[in-house]
Amino acid sequence: MKDIMTAPFLIEMMQTTANMYRLGYDERNGGNISYMLDPAVAGEYLDLNKVIRTIPTGFDAKALAGKIFIVTGTGKYFKNVEYDPENNLGIIRIAEDGVTAELLWGYRDGGRFTSELPAHLMSHIARLSVDPDNKIIMHCHPDYTLAMTQVHEMNERAITRTLWKQMTESIVVFPEGVGVLPWMVCGTNAIGEATAEKMKEYRIVLWTLHGIYGCGKDMDEAFGLIETVEKAAKMYMLTAHLPNVNTITDQNLVDLAARFSLNYRKDFLDI
């Protein structure tokens, strides 16, 4: 059996969490990531028949029974993952009953997965229903996106239009726009259910005054979505109080969509 410390999926988690912490996206123990693993790949590094202990999931995830995930731990700081992954991460398999997670590796100190796991599992189910290649659900708290949710009208059409118009790449990266939720209590099944419903339509969901949920087929896609939204939000917050001399027009956005053959939200434009 191969050394798990050399597993590509573990290295990805270590590098990504370190990068997100350094960027300020995940302060203290804020934020969480779940990454669905290929069982054949996981089996190269783990004895899949050896269950360390079981943990209630807090949600009936029977639709994901047998699926294996590497997940950040509750109360764990992203900055510590690269130095002690076995304590700050865990690899779990959803049991056949759907309400139990089988711990296969990690959470060495007796810990458990993020309190947002139900929201992650619900979002995985939602994304897999529209994109069978989806593997990542990522949640974080980027500065400018959070600031923007304090001062901008929070509905999908309005905030998507603003983000698209901040820089040319925006509509190319998230042509479907961004989903929006009002402020809700975090760590509950209610916010998980609301997020999952939005995830059927959007790959990015903004939690007002809290952060972002993003997804993707791999770590680069999920993180790339989030950093592009954050860059656009930064441009908005740096310039919203200044005279608007130049702008990307709705016609410019149509032209971009044509150039890149984008399936974009046409109803979000005034054309």
Side-chain angles (χ1 to χ4, degrees), residues 20 49 54 57 72 100 104 119 183 196 224 229 257:
M20 294 174 77
N49 294 313
T54 59
T57 60
T72 50
T100 307
L104 304 174
W183 185 90
V229 169

Side-chain angles (χ1 to χ4, degrees), residues 226-238:
I226 289 171
E227 66 179 343
T228 304
V229 169
E230 171 66 356
K231 182 68 171 286
K234 180 177 182 180
M235 295 304 98
Y236 174 77
M237 293 304 297
L238 289 174

